[in-house]
Amino acid sequence: MKPIWIVDDDESIRWVLEKALARENLATQSFSSARDAIQALQSGTPQVLVSDIRMPGPSGLELLQTIKAKHPGIPVIIITAFSDLD
Amino acid sequence: MKTTLPLLDGLDLLASAVIILDADGGIVYANAAAENLLESSFKVLSQQKLSELFVNGEELADLFYQAIAHQFADKRLDLALERSGRDPLQVHTIVTPLDNPEMPVLLELRENVQQLKLDREERLLDQSQANKELIRNLAHEIKNPLGGIRGAAQLLELELPERHLKELREYTQVIIKEADRLQTLVDRLLAPHRRPHIVGDVNIHEVCERVRSLILAEFPNGLTIRRDYDLSIPEFRGDKEQLIQALLNIVHNAAQALAERIRAGDAELVLQTRVMRQVTLAKVRYRLALDLHIIDNGPGISPDIQDRIFYPLVSGREGGSGLGLTLAQTFVQQHMGVIECESRPGYTDFRILIPLP
């Protein structure tokens, strides 16, 4: 099974997600920026992608657009601590 | 010397600063108010010329020369006179030529209270803007690590050995609950920026009546809420729910501050509505504005927090969140309005000003 990709600039959030998914025996691969994830898309794809929105560099929404354009079949889960996006 | 001008002694009783100049712009007389305003004694002032008093005295010097030439009977204008190392003087200035060759020009300076008030409001507005930005950023910076802490505690709870699950869960639950408490606080700090602004026609008296009945339901005995409405106030476009919340927060604070008088049975709150003409709110001038007063006869706001009551997390009440007035102010600001406050023991007046069509 292909891994679940976790994209978040916050290390502790990545850690929690990795651990939580590992408990369910799900393989993960983590990225600290959308740029790294976009680059990794050239050599492989995830089963599911979980991404934060606000990160230094390209945002999670930009990552979402890239994925939807190239691999429309991959489910993407967007998570964010920013509850007001105005 | 003042004694050489005995007729001028009465001028010391005036609140306006009066300065008399000779033909060269030298100061031949300054009354007590002028000494006060310029923070110099007449002795020092008498050594100086008008042109040396202020950093930007050119405009004043021009007026002086025009007066010497008798080009006008008297001239009035508002000036911001700058002095090195001090706040500029906001003064209403009147220059009058005199028919006396030894003292040909009389200069009158009156502090421009309106301008001072505007400056102060502007500063407060900037400050509250900066505060809001700070709070927002800080709240967001707190949310992420909080997510990590809560998540890690949840994971830890899942790892706890079955045998000690009950005792050990207490520890993880404290972490989770406290993280949730902080999360709630952060959410409340962010709330005013998040709530949608729903605009419709607002009748301010409907807002007042709603708040009045809510408060009376909570404080049924010992509190009188008197209405003093100007029913001619027109409806305006606004978010009724936000305004109810804003007013409710202020009136609720007042009712809580009145606790002692409520027990004594003579607590009084007044909701007063008026219109105000030609007002400047947050730097913009309006022809007409709503002037809503919430007046109580409680003990007043403690002077040491009076300047900061609209800041988040400032509260005069034990257990108060310090968010009520911040929220009220945010909502009123979203209506282009301002909240002002005046308080002394036995009389506290919160004033909501909102532009009217």
Side-chain angles (χ1 to χ4, degrees), chain B residues 145-165:
Chain B
L146 218 47
I149 292 171
R150 196 188 193 284
Q154 278 177 298
L155 289 169
L156 180 60
E157 199 167 282
L158 296 171
E159 302 289 338
L160 294 177
E162 198 63 51
R163 290 186 299 133
H164 299 293
L165 185 61

Side-chain angles (χ1 to χ4, degrees), chain B residues 35 43 83 90 105 126 145 198 251 270-271 309 327 356:
Chain B
E35 291 178 318
K43 218 171 149 188
R83 298 165 299 165
Q90 299 289 354
V105 177
D126 289 348
I198 305 157
V251 178
V270 183
L271 295 176
I309 49 171
L327 196 66
L356 288 173

Side-chain angles (χ1 to χ4, degrees), chain A residues 8-10 12-13 15-17 19-20 23 52 54 81-84 86, chain B residues 136 140-141 143-145 147-149 151-152 155 158-159 187 190 193-194:
Chain A
D8 199 310
D9 60 325
D10 194 305
S12 65
I13 301 281
W15 184 88
V16 167
L17 289 172
K19 289 285 173 200
R23 284 185 61 87
D52 188 12
R54 291 206 197 182
F82 289 79
S83 36
D84 60 328
D86 50 326
Chain B
R136 251 191 92 177
H140 284 146
E141 286 308 315
K143 278 189 127 180
N144 261 332
I149 292 171
L155 289 169
L158 296 171
E159 302 289 338
D187 285 342
L190 291 172
H193 311 283
R194 202 163 40 191

Side-chain angles (χ1 to χ4, degrees), chain B residues 161-174:
Chain B
E162 198 63 51
R163 290 186 299 133
H164 299 293
L165 185 61
K166 229 177 146 203
E167 312 97 274
L168 293 179
R169 263 195 75 194
E170 270 182 49
Y171 294 80
T172 48
Q173 281 301 311
V174 168

Side-chain angles (χ1 to χ4, degrees), chain B residues 177-222:
Chain B
K177 287 217 182 82
E178 292 302 294
D180 285 348
R181 194 156 71 104
L182 276 175
Q183 179 74 46
T184 309
L185 174 69
V186 165
D187 285 342
R188 289 188 62 189
L189 281 172
L190 291 172
H193 311 283
R194 202 163 40 191
R195 204 176 296 207
H197 188 65
I198 305 157
V199 173
D201 286 323
V202 178
N203 176 338
I204 194 61
H205 298 114
E206 267 178 45
V207 172
C208 291
E209 285 298 295
R210 176 83 162 279
V211 168
R212 183 174 180 270
S213 55
L214 283 169
I215 294 292
L216 285 178
E218 192 179 336
F219 302 88
N221 299 309

Side-chain angles (χ1 to χ4, degrees), chain B residues 9-281:
Chain B
D9 279 355
L11 295 180
D12 277 343
L13 300 173
L14 293 182
S16 301
V18 176
I19 295 169
I20 296 180
L21 303 159
D22 65 22
D24 297 324
I27 296 172
V28 294
Y29 173 81
N31 72 346
E35 291 178 318
N36 240 333
L37 185 73
L38 300 172
E39 296 168 67
S40 308
S41 66
F42 172 66
K43 218 171 149 188
V44 174
L45 290 172
S46 65
Q47 312 292 318
Q48 287 184 299
K49 297 210 168 192
L50 178 65
S51 54
E52 298 161 358
L53 282 181
F54 306 106
V55 177
N56 61 342
E58 305 86 11
E59 206 171 352
L60 201 56
D62 278 352
L63 283 177
F64 169 75
Y65 290 118
Q66 288 171 30
I68 290 275
H70 277 265
Q71 285 176 1
F72 51 76
D74 66 79
K75 201 151 207 170
R76 294 152 187 269
L77 75 169
D78 292 327
L79 295 174
L81 296 170
E82 286 169 23
R83 298 165 299 165
S84 53
R86 282 177 237 177
D87 283 341
L89 283 178
Q90 299 289 354
V91 282
H92 187 61
T93 311
I94 306 168
V95 184
T96 313
L98 302 176
D99 274 328
N100 181 334
E102 277 165 40
M103 29 182 167
V105 177
L106 183 141
L107 178 66
E108 199 182 330
L109 303 170
R110 246 179 266 160
E111 240 177 314
N112 191 339
V113 180
Q114 186 62 27
Q115 188 60 43
L116 282 174
K117 199 166 157 253
L118 280 180
D119 285 355
R120 194 168 157 269
E121 269 173 18
E122 198 169 312
R123 261 206 314 275
L124 278 177
L125 202 70
D126 289 348
Q127 218 168 41
S128 105
Q129 216 52 46
N131 267 325
K132 242 183 262 172
E133 201 55 34
L134 177 74
I135 291 282
R136 251 191 92 177
N137 291 335
L138 191 63
H140 284 146
E141 286 308 315
I142 289 171
K143 278 189 127 180
N144 261 332
L146 218 47
I149 292 171
R150 196 188 193 284
Q154 278 177 298
L155 289 169
L156 180 60
E157 199 167 282
L158 296 171
E159 302 289 338
L160 294 177
E162 198 63 51
R163 290 186 299 133
H164 299 293
L165 185 61
K166 229 177 146 203
E167 312 97 274
L168 293 179
R169 263 195 75 194
E170 270 182 49
Y171 294 80
T172 48
Q173 281 301 311
V174 168
I175 301 173
I176 292 170
K177 287 217 182 82
E178 292 302 294
D180 285 348
R181 194 156 71 104
L182 276 175
Q183 179 74 46
T184 309
L185 174 69
V186 165
D187 285 342
R188 289 188 62 189
L189 281 172
L190 291 172
H193 311 283
R194 202 163 40 191
R195 204 176 296 207
H197 188 65
I198 305 157
V199 173
D201 286 323
V202 178
N203 176 338
I204 194 61
H205 298 114
E206 267 178 45
V207 172
C208 291
E209 285 298 295
R210 176 83 162 279
V211 168
R212 183 174 180 270
S213 55
L214 283 169
I215 294 292
L216 285 178
E218 192 179 336
F219 302 88
N221 299 309
L223 173 67
T224 316
I225 303 184
R226 198 154 57 76
R227 306 114 131 165
D228 176 4
Y229 296 160
D230 174 352
L231 293 174
S232 72
I233 293 172
E235 291 193 341
F236 57 96
R237 302 291 290 170
D239 184 327
K240 190 166 138 192
E241 292 305 317
Q242 278 192 356
L243 290 173
I244 288 173
Q245 188 66 57
L247 185 61
L248 186 63
N249 288 1
I250 294 173
V251 178
H252 198 258
N253 276 353
Q256 281 180 319
L258 283 166
E260 216 161 287
R261 279 193 180 259
I262 288 178
R263 273 194 292 279
D266 65 349
E268 190 186 63
L269 252 162
V270 183
L271 295 176
Q272 185 188 67
T273 59
R274 292 288 184 268
V275 292
M276 224 182 145
R277 284 168 210 288
Q278 305 299 340
V279 259
T280 306
L281 302 176

Side-chain angles (χ1 to χ4, degrees), chain A residues 1 3 11 24 39 42 50 56 62-64 68-69 71 81 84:
Chain A
M1 199 124 77
E11 198 192 336
E24 307 297 325
Q39 202 159 21
Q42 291 169 354
V50 181
E62 286 173 68
L63 174 61
L64 174 67
K68 285 294 152 196
H71 312 279
D84 60 328

